[in-house]
Amino acid sequence: MMPDQLDRMCSQHHPRLLYCIPTIHNPTTATMSLQRRKDILAVAQRHHLHIAEDDPYSLLMDEHCQHWQLWIIVVSVILPRLPKH
């Protein structure tokens, strides 16, 4: 997912929810970088977009890779505090 494209789509279509699998996406096994997660969060904040993260594979990750923990904090703590439409 590209933050600039998400921003453009949000401006055009005004979605209310973003569903994503940022950690070990199936079938590609791609994991979103921390910076990309922050950029997506910034877009979501600007557009009052809720994020639903599906995180079924994070327990399979190496114990030294902790990016997913920050994302969980963002989704569970920061996003619920955003203004509602």
Side-chain angles (χ1 to χ4, degrees):
M1 181 178 312
M2 305 302 292
D4 58 332
Q5 292 177 1
L6 175 63
D7 191 41
R8 185 171 37 87
M9 295 304 292
C10 287
S11 295
Q12 293 174 356
H13 301 286
H14 311 291
R16 299 194 52 146
L17 177 70
L18 169 65
Y19 172 82
C20 63
I21 304 174
T23 306
I24 311 179
H25 188 275
N26 188 6
T28 65
T29 70
T31 295
M32 212 180 280
S33 72
L34 179 59
Q35 185 58 53
R36 182 162 298 178
R37 293 171 196 236
K38 289 178 179 181
D39 294 344
I40 289 171
L41 175 62
V43 171
Q45 288 174 324
R46 277 196 304 278
H47 293 282
H48 307 289
L49 179 65
H50 297 275
I51 298 175
E53 176 186 353
D54 192 352
D55 190 26
Y57 306 114
S58 66
L59 295 176
L60 300 175
M61 293 184 71
D62 185 288
E63 65 186 43
H64 301 290
C65 186
Q66 301 298 318
H67 295 283
W68 60 272
Q69 289 180 336
L70 176 61
W71 193 244
I72 290 170
I73 291 169
V74 165
V75 170
S76 63
V77 176
I78 297 173
L79 287 181
R81 296 180 182 170
L82 291 176
K84 308 279 192 266
H85 281 287

